[in-house]
Amino acid sequence: MISKYIFNKIGLFDDKLRTTQDYDMWVRILARYSFKHLNLCLVKSRVHNLQDSFILKDLWRYEKIKIQKKIFKYFTIMEIKKSS
């Protein structure tokens, strides 16, 4: 669960992003707050051929690169390697 306080600090979804709003939000949260890993399945999702990330594959790739650049802005290579 994410506290409303955190959303007030980092902002909500970036509505300029069409296919990667959630990834962007997670990166912004992770840049300022710690996560606790729960070894539980709390959410199930499905992938289908009518979702934007499938239909708008080129836009998804472009937005994904923007998110990756943001990751390197917030985190060092060592922090990224350590987390994987």
Side-chain angles (χ1 to χ4, degrees):
M1 301 300 292
I2 302 170
S3 165
K4 182 178 178 181
Y5 171 84
I6 292 175
F7 287 116
N8 288 338
K9 290 294 185 187
I10 64 124
L12 299 174
F13 290 113
D14 182 348
D15 60 6
K16 291 180 228 111
L17 298 171
R18 175 91 186 263
T19 64
T20 58
Q21 308 93 334
D22 52 345
Y23 296 113
D24 175 71
M25 184 191 66
W26 287 117
V27 169
R28 288 184 287 123
I29 293 172
L30 187 57
R32 294 181 64 178
Y33 301 96
S34 298
F35 279 68
K36 176 73 175 169
H37 177 263
L38 300 176
N39 196 18
L40 302 167
C41 180
L42 301 175
V43 176
K44 289 187 178 188
S45 65
R46 64 185 178 95
V47 177
H48 57 86
N49 60 359
L50 296 178
Q51 65 194 53
D52 282 351
S53 59
F54 187 81
I55 294 171
L56 305 170
K57 194 63 95 176
D58 290 337
L59 178 59
W60 176 79
R61 285 186 184 109
Y62 171 76
E63 288 181 353
K64 185 177 73 165
I65 290 169
K66 285 176 68 173
I67 301 298
Q68 289 168 336
K69 287 179 181 178
K70 189 176 282 192
I71 290 169
F72 286 109
K73 176 181 153 188
Y74 290 135
F75 305 101
T76 67
I77 296 291
M78 292 306 292
E79 289 172 318
I80 294 168
K81 285 182 177 183
K82 182 178 159 187
S83 69
S84 58

